Amino acid sequence: MNGPQTLINNPELLRQLSDSELQATLLEGVSRTFALTIPQLPGELYPAVANAYLLCRIVDTIEDEISLSPAQKKYFCSAFIDIVKTGNNAEIFSAELAPLLSEQTIPAEHSLIHLVPRVIAITRSLDAPQIEALACCVETMANGMPVYQALDLHAGLKTMKDMDDYCYYVAGCVGEMLAKLFCHYSPEIAAHREELLKLSVSFGQGLQMTNILKDIWDDAKRGVCWLPQDIFTETGFNLAELTPTTNNEQFRLGLSHLVAIAHGHLQNALTYTQLLPSHETGIRNFCLWALGMAVLTLKKIKANLNFNESNQVKISRNSVKATIVATKLTVRSNMLLSLLFNLTSRNLKSPNWHYSPISHTGQ
């Protein structure tokens, strides 16, 4: 256990790794979920998708860093957009940002910031369309996220449209980028490019909404709420009154409505996956594992709407293993995938309540 942890804490040791080993080690340090799913992709896709996730994580690190002022965050985000686009000044960026990171930022992210020049060198080694897809995503994310840093979020977002927009900046644009990378990899996939790009935004939103719902109470402890007030106005609850001790039936009803909306986005995620060629089992599994884990998380939330901390609705390792086994068995069959999805998610809808999401036109 000590070996990998010592490695992730030591940028000098990490620099000695090959590009593929470096990206795999950094991924393991910053996200076990993506360290599990990204290796399922075909070998030709792995370097670009692993690199893309690390670039997004650098933006996240800037946004989450408590020691940085809003002006500093804007400065570093803007600088990083230029670095990804041009490949220039990565060393200066790394040298400026690394000393400013606090102890609240995890060691793997400290190492990631120290290694920005190496990560960017890998970015620049990719094909031009891949670099363009990554740069477009980083620009969208790095320009969009600071907008929300400036808001007072103790009483939530005003409308579902605001939540849609937020989810687009942090996850929908990542979905678009992945769709572009998949299309670049395969002319067969590119035949469905426009439909995939549209569905990819919804796919990202479904995953992000699931995370937001799971983390409601962790966020509430920090005085932050990402839920939309208009959904709760319908049920008679004011999000300004939300505290870690809230126990309110109107709130739970609003929560169940958001679960239903997230379910609709995950239905689109299934459609997206079913558009991919059945023989591309690696890409399908990459999508299905994320989709399956989101469905199981929503199921736990729906079955326990009075939960008051994220651990109560976190899925177990056995559930993750079951998701992997079930999707591997059904990965090539659209009919079986639909059956599996419908069986596992049948309780997530709100039968007597309907919501029509406003479609977000991506880039």
Side-chain angles (χ1 to χ4, degrees):
M1 287 292 288
N2 275 342
Q5 194 57 48
T6 304
L7 185 60
I8 200 65
N9 293 348
N10 192 323
E12 291 310 315
L13 285 177
L14 288 168
R15 282 190 180 94
Q16 297 170 29
L17 300 177
S18 68
D19 286 354
S20 60
E21 289 173 328
L22 175 68
Q23 294 208 129
T25 305
L26 287 171
L27 272 177
E28 181 69 37
V30 297
S31 172
R32 287 187 177 176
T33 301
F34 281 99
L36 175 74
T37 58
I38 293 176
Q40 305 312 308
L41 294 168
E44 304 95 308
L45 267 172
Y46 178 87
V49 176
N51 190 256
Y53 184 81
L54 293 175
L55 295 180
C56 293
R57 194 62 184 226
I58 291 164
V59 178
D60 284 342
T61 301
I62 297 167
E63 291 301 333
D64 293 342
E65 178 49 66
I66 57 168
S67 73
L68 297 178
S69 68
Q72 285 176 305
K73 290 180 180 183
K74 194 170 180 184
Y75 164 76
F76 282 114
C77 279
S78 179
F80 191 60
I81 292 169
D82 288 336
I83 290 165
V84 176
K85 284 183 173 179
T86 66
N88 300 329
N89 301 317
E91 291 85 358
I92 296 168
F93 173 90
S94 179
E96 280 187 31
L97 180 56
L100 301 178
L101 298 181
S102 66
E103 287 185 6
Q104 285 204 25
T105 293
I106 62 171
E109 288 177 345
H110 278 266
S111 292
L112 178 59
I113 299 304
H114 278 288
L115 290 160
V116 164
R118 184 74 182 280
V119 173
I120 292 296
I122 298 170
T123 309
R124 304 310 298 176
S125 73
L126 302 172
D127 292 347
Q130 293 176 312
I131 296 172
E132 187 181 347
L134 269 58
C136 180
C137 175
V138 166
E139 183 169 22
T140 301
M141 186 180 279
N143 280 332
M145 287 172 74
V147 172
Y148 294 88
Q149 292 282 335
L151 298 179
D152 177 3
L153 290 166
H154 87 279
L157 297 163
K158 286 191 173 114
T159 67
M160 191 65 222
K161 172 70 166 58
D162 294 327
M163 190 183 203
D164 292 344
D165 289 344
Y166 172 71
C167 288
Y168 176 68
Y169 288 129
V170 297
C173 65
V174 178
E176 283 181 323
M177 173 193 65
L178 288 170
K180 291 174 187 175
L181 293 177
F182 295 163
C183 288
H184 173 260
Y185 157 78
S186 162
E188 196 178 351
I189 294 174
H192 299 287
R193 180 183 174 90
E194 292 313 309
E195 195 172 356
L196 287 170
L197 281 173
K198 195 163 82 171
L199 289 167
S200 68
V201 175
S202 189
F203 195 152
Q205 176 151 354
L207 299 183
Q208 185 62 28
M209 282 187 71
T210 302
N211 283 334
I212 288 171
L213 296 178
K214 173 175 68 72
D215 294 334
I216 289 167
W217 303 112
D218 294 349
D219 290 335
K221 285 172 190 169
R222 299 184 294 112
V224 171
C225 177
W226 293 105
L227 306 178
Q229 178 58 57
D230 62 344
I231 296 293
F232 290 88
T233 299
E234 273 188 36
T235 66
F237 183 79
N238 182 356
L239 289 173
E241 296 169 10
L242 186 68
T243 72
T245 59
T246 295
N247 182 1
N248 181 284
E249 191 56 41
Q250 283 93 349
F251 174 74
R252 288 192 282 272
L253 181 58
L255 197 55
S256 71
H257 289 171
L258 286 174
V259 167
I261 294 171
H263 170 267
H265 287 295
L266 295 181
Q267 181 82 58
N268 286 339
L270 176 68
T271 303
Y272 173 101
T273 308
Q274 290 172 323
L275 282 172
L276 302 170
S278 60
H279 62 85
E280 292 288 1
T281 54
I283 305 178
R284 280 187 163 218
N285 275 326
F286 171 80
C287 296
L288 289 169
W289 292 5
L291 170 55
M293 287 187 268
V295 167
L296 292 181
T297 301
L298 287 180
K299 275 188 73 171
K300 289 200 82 167
I301 292 170
K302 184 68 181 279
N304 189 20
L305 289 170
N306 60 347
F307 80 103
N308 54 21
E309 56 179 71
S310 59
N311 280 341
Q312 294 168 357
V313 292
K314 189 176 180 183
I315 61 172
S316 67
R317 287 189 177 184
N318 284 339
S319 293
V320 173
K321 287 176 185 173
T323 301
I324 290 170
V325 171
T327 52
K328 279 188 171 180
L329 290 172
T330 56
V331 64
R332 290 176 178 268
S333 169
N334 284 353
M335 185 184 72
L336 287 176
L337 287 173
S338 289
L339 185 65
L340 183 63
F341 180 86
N342 291 336
L343 279 173
T344 52
S345 67
R346 63 186 181 278
N347 295 327
L348 300 181
K349 300 176 185 177
S350 288
N352 300 318
W353 182 82
H354 299 284
Y355 168 76
S356 300
I358 300 165
S359 63
H360 193 301
T361 50
Q363 316 246 320

